[in-house]
Amino acid sequence: MALIRVGSQVFNTDYIVRVRLNDSNSFSDNCVTLLVDEGSGSLNGDPNGFTGHWGLQAYSFYNDQANQLRGFFTSPDYVLDLTVPEPLTMTTGGE
């Protein structure tokens, strides 16, 4: 578990379901989006009486905040990169 703070929000990385490092939308080309599992509510319940599952919530960050998150999630200290490199192709010269 790690806690990360972005602006006034703090996220427990255990509940981050997906990260889009290079998300682009109508607001900016420099965007990082976190999809977070909000869990099943607080211990005291919602003030409006809602106690069911909150589901997934997307959070988008732009510019400097996006750059900081991108740096965090691409650091070799935090992420094991399982991207398979493209296979090498052998070319032979003339016979």
Side-chain angles (χ1 to χ4, degrees):
M1 176 187 85
L3 297 176
I4 56 174
R5 181 171 63 91
V6 184
S8 62
Q9 299 181 36
V10 176
F11 297 94
N12 179 338
T13 56
D14 285 351
Y15 297 103
I16 296 175
V17 176
R18 185 173 186 173
V19 178
R20 288 189 175 169
L21 296 175
N22 297 307
D23 204 5
S24 63
N25 56 38
S26 60
F27 298 111
S28 174
D29 289 336
N30 183 12
C31 177
V32 170
T33 301
L34 305 179
L35 187 60
V36 179
D37 185 350
E38 295 287 334
S40 59
S42 67
L43 294 175
N44 298 328
D46 186 351
N48 297 321
F50 180 80
T51 58
H53 186 75
W54 290 356
L56 299 175
Q57 178 68 40
Y59 295 88
S60 295
F61 299 93
Y62 304 96
N63 303 320
D64 289 339
Q65 290 180 341
N67 292 337
Q68 290 170 345
L69 281 170
R70 195 174 293 109
F72 176 82
F73 285 110
T74 57
S75 169
D77 295 332
Y78 298 107
V79 176
L80 176 61
D81 189 357
L82 297 178
T83 305
V84 177
E86 292 293 321
L88 296 174
T89 56
M90 300 287 292
T91 57
T92 58
E95 292 183 36

